[in-house]
Amino acid sequence: MSARFIFITGGVVSSLGKGLASASMGALLQARGYKVRLRKLDPYLNVDPGTMSPYQHGECYVTDDGAETDLDLGHYERFTGVAARKSDNVTTGQIYSDVIAKERRGDYLGGTVQVIPHVTDAIRDFVLSDITDEDFVLCEIGGTVGDIEGLPFLEAIRQLRNELGAKRTCFVHVTLLPYIGAAGELKTKPTQHSVKELLSVGIQPDILMCRAERDIPQNEKRKIALFCNVKESRVISALDVDTIYDVPNTYHREGLDNEVLRYFEMLGEDEEGEVDLARWTDIVERVRGPEGEVTIAVVGKYTVLIDAYKSLNEALTHGGIANNVRVNLKWIESEIFEKEDPIPYLEGVHGILVPGGFGERGAEGKIEAVQFAREREVPYFGICFGMQMAVIEAARNLAGIEKASSTEFGPTDEPVVGLLTEWMKGNQLEKRGIDGNMGGTMRLGAYTAALRPGSRVSQIYGDALEIQERHRHRYEVNASYMERLEKAGLVFSGMSPDGELPEIVEFPNHPWFIGVQYHPELKSKPFDPHPLFASFIKAAIDQSRLV
């Protein structure tokens, strides 16, 4: 294994965009012909984000192999196209669980189990695991330098520098240069303190990425280089941009990829090397120069924190890129429709999307949004919970099943949606008790769906008869209601291969009405928009001509 490792840390404050910086760095190295892998090391004690509130952690991103991971892995996939795996996200909770399990088995032969070396060794083993022919492995350390829970991770990467040597490890530190309006200048002192904090744990950064809202004067860069002991050319400006898809271009103009390769002695001091950024230039041009615009209402329950719908937000943007239009999002808290008429909120929008969610709160409001979209013939896209609410709405208002509900909301006489207690994963039967643990007990990861020939959804997927998409849910549409619902006009156009689990529903006589049990937004990329989002935005464009 001869992979080179780049460790990305953050200082001063959180939310500096380390994930985007890591993803963009990966995209730049890819644009130079190198093979990359990106990883996230999260210092929190949860085993994974699966049981964390979206308000706390934002979106929970799911991989093909069923890992519930940090939303930064979504950035990694969208920017590089490299499918993330379970081995690309680890938390303190996972590390401690493994170490304690080993101690209980007696693997440490009676030795005292300590943070150093046992926890740091487990982190080191994770960083080095599951690597094949990658040229670069980029590892982002979550949190901020100085966080007490992050110390074992910093110690582990410090040890890796000693083990692998400076020629195979590079430390990139993302920091903040705040602008003080009263003084009329950017301040370098927080960056100096952050680097000092990093030095106190034995890590000297090799490259500094300075986040700022305005240009960093050369004399300030010189000052940072002097006080932080880095080359002046390796103090990189990371300025705010109008679209995240311009970040790779911006970093390239600042010389980030050149400096990384020069650090590893893969490029001479005066060499530039070849880089192909055509795909990013094209995407940015499409985002900045749309031929029109549409407005999509997103009726959800976590709308106060847009990071809760990060991949969804991006996938809708990708649908706009595919159709050369700007997508304006109107975020609506679904509970409003339980008290107020949805018409003033939804009249004039060109498409309605109800995303995933958990629990009863806001469910009736989502059903109101479905009914509005169906009756007014506004393009409707239901994802996961949004599909289930579409089925309940059809059961109540078209099939005459007035008490149709979900067992997620409590006991019901008409469980149109119910808890899945067993299902097939490949050839293996997975089982779950109703009172079991919450964590990791959902239908998670990539599953196959068989599509009905000639259906709208099959046509959207290029006349495919079988697709693979990522799931994250505990409840399923009850297949025993299918016959009554199909008689009412709702077509079940996608099913699990064994015919037991409904995957996709649609109304063929509606301009565009599709509900899917999976999360298509997780596989959408700016250079490869998901066909469902591209088709939904196309339908919204058609609708905009009617409104």
Side-chain angles (χ1 to χ4, degrees):
M1 181 186 72
S2 59
R4 294 166 177 85
F5 292 84
I6 301 172
F7 298 104
I8 299 100
T9 55
V12 186
V13 292
S14 58
S15 301
L16 278 181
K18 292 195 306 295
L20 266 177
S22 305
S24 299
M25 209 182 307
L28 284 175
L29 291 168
Q30 261 190 345
R32 288 181 174 270
Y34 295 107
K35 188 172 182 187
V36 299
R37 176 146 224 92
L38 289 106
R39 298 192 148 154
K40 178 77 185 278
L41 286 68
D42 266 317
Y44 53 74
L45 274 167
N46 304 63
V47 170
D48 59 44
T51 56
M52 291 167 80
S53 162
Y55 291 124
Q56 286 270 319
H57 194 258
E59 167 190 78
C60 176
Y61 190 79
V62 179
T63 60
D64 279 336
D65 57 5
E68 293 178 284
T69 71
D70 186 79
L71 62 80
D72 279 333
L73 272 76
H75 286 315
Y76 304 164
E77 281 203 20
R78 284 189 286 275
F79 275 69
T80 66
V82 177
R85 303 195 283 251
K86 278 184 181 176
S87 58
D88 292 327
N89 191 199
V90 76
T91 66
T92 300
Q94 285 174 36
I95 295 290
Y96 274 85
S97 295
D98 292 347
V99 168
I100 290 166
K102 283 182 177 178
E103 184 272 329
R104 293 288 81 189
R105 285 198 307 265
D107 290 8
Y108 298 119
L109 304 175
T112 303
V113 181
Q114 296 176 289
V115 173
I116 302 171
H118 301 101
V119 170
T120 50
D121 279 357
I123 295 167
R124 172 195 158 283
D125 291 345
F126 167 80
V127 170
L128 298 175
S129 69
D130 196 23
I131 294 168
T132 50
D133 57 346
E134 285 84 2
D135 298 301
F136 291 96
V137 179
L138 288 77
C139 298
E140 177 195 344
I141 316 296
T144 315
V145 170
D147 295 347
I148 194 166
E149 61 264 36
L151 288 172
F153 290 90
L154 297 176
E155 173 60 21
I157 65 174
R158 185 195 68 79
Q159 291 176 16
L160 276 164
R161 160 64 64 93
N162 284 342
E163 181 183 334
L164 300 174
K167 290 192 177 166
R168 283 188 57 202
T169 53
C170 176
F171 294 125
V172 176
H173 192 50
V174 183
T175 174
L176 176 70
L177 263 64
Y179 179 77
I180 307 298
E185 60 183 356
L186 291 164
K187 288 295 183 183
T188 64
K189 193 60 75 179
T191 292
Q192 294 174 43
H193 280 300
S194 184
V195 171
K196 188 178 175 185
E197 189 78 41
L198 202 52
L199 282 166
S200 73
V201 294
I203 294 172
Q204 164 66 53
D206 302 303
I207 295 174
L208 287 176
M209 298 181 69
C210 301
R211 295 280 289 113
E213 61 184 51
R214 56 189 68 206
D215 285 326
I216 304 170
Q218 200 59 40
N219 64 318
E220 297 295 304
K221 286 189 176 183
R222 203 169 295 123
K223 184 177 172 184
I224 293 166
L226 188 64
F227 280 101
C228 298
N229 197 27
V230 297
K231 287 176 69 172
E232 195 177 320
S233 61
R234 291 181 185 160
V235 178
I236 306 291
S237 297
L239 304 182
D240 296 346
V241 289
D242 59 345
T243 167
I244 60 170
Y245 299 121
D246 194 32
V247 175
N249 289 324
T250 306
Y251 285 172
H252 173 66
R253 287 193 292 273
E254 283 293 321
L256 175 64
D257 43 332
N258 281 332
E259 290 304 326
V260 168
L261 294 175
R262 283 171 191 152
Y263 170 82
F264 285 115
E265 297 179 357
M266 299 166 78
L267 201 62
E269 281 302 317
D270 299 321
E271 280 183 86
E272 288 292 323
E274 286 187 25
V275 60
D276 180 9
L277 291 171
R279 87 166 20 165
W280 295 107
T281 304
D282 176 54
I283 288 164
V284 171
E285 283 173 359
R286 283 168 175 260
V287 170
R288 287 182 179 155
E291 293 171 5
E293 56 182 54
V294 293
T295 301
I296 303 296
V298 181
V299 184
K301 59 189 289 186
Y302 312 118
T303 54
V304 293
L305 183 75
I306 304 307
D307 264 3
Y309 299 115
K310 191 66 192 170
S311 292
L312 182 71
N313 198 340
E314 296 308 318
L316 286 162
T317 300
H318 305 160
I321 290 170
N323 289 283
N324 275 330
V325 293
R326 177 180 289 115
V327 178
N328 300 315
L329 299 183
K330 185 177 181 181
W331 299 94
I332 301 173
E333 189 71 31
S334 59
E335 280 181 286
I336 288 173
F337 296 159
E338 291 168 20
K339 310 180 199 83
E340 297 180 39
D341 188 343
I343 292 174
Y345 293 91
L346 296 177
E347 215 163 29
V349 302
H350 310 126
I352 296 169
L353 191 150
V354 174
F358 293 91
E360 187 174 8
R361 181 178 70 80
E364 291 298 327
K366 291 181 178 184
I367 291 168
E368 289 286 330
V370 175
Q371 185 174 356
F372 179 94
R374 180 179 60 78
E375 292 178 350
R376 298 289 186 106
E377 297 200 333
V378 177
Y380 175 80
F381 195 178
I383 294 175
C384 197
F385 195 82
M387 167 187 161
Q388 295 172 4
M389 296 307 99
V391 173
I392 289 173
E393 191 277 332
R396 288 180 186 175
N397 298 324
L398 295 176
I401 309 167
E402 288 176 20
K403 292 184 178 177
S405 189
S406 168
T407 57
E408 187 171 1
F409 312 150
T412 172
D413 296 336
E414 300 283 5
V416 171
V417 176
L419 183 69
L420 185 72
T421 53
E422 57 182 60
W423 67 95
M424 294 301 289
K425 175 93 174 172
N427 296 319
Q428 223 174 343
L429 184 68
E430 304 260 348
K431 291 195 172 187
R432 172 190 50 233
I434 287 172
D435 300 320
N437 280 346
M438 295 283 281
T441 55
M442 292 186 260
R443 191 147 76 99
L444 286 166
Y447 284 83
T448 301
L451 306 185
R452 185 177 292 196
S455 62
R456 171 176 283 154
V457 83
S458 173
Q459 290 164 11
I460 290 169
Y461 278 99
D463 294 324
L465 297 180
E466 201 173 81
I467 55 167
Q468 267 215 337
E469 293 281 2
R470 297 179 190 176
H471 290 248
R472 183 177 182 252
H473 55 99
R474 286 190 183 86
Y475 293 80
E476 301 275 355
V477 172
N478 188 341
S480 61
Y481 285 88
M482 274 172 59
E483 194 178 332
R484 289 158 76 184
L485 286 161
E486 290 221 317
K487 277 182 185 166
L490 185 68
V491 171
F492 286 74
S493 52
M495 298 290 292
S496 60
D498 60 6
E500 293 292 316
L501 304 173
E503 292 275 14
I504 307 167
V505 296
E506 60 182 69
F507 279 111
N509 57 354
H510 188 283
W512 205 99
F513 190 111
I514 290 173
V516 298
Q517 184 57 77
Y518 48 84
H519 288 271
E521 70 272 22
L522 299 178
K523 290 178 82 166
S524 187
K525 298 168 186 66
F527 43 82
D528 184 19
H530 193 287
L532 282 173
F533 283 93
S535 179
F536 176 56
I537 298 302
K538 170 75 171 64
I541 294 168
D542 295 340
Q543 178 72 15
S544 71
R545 296 183 182 127
L546 301 174
V547 173

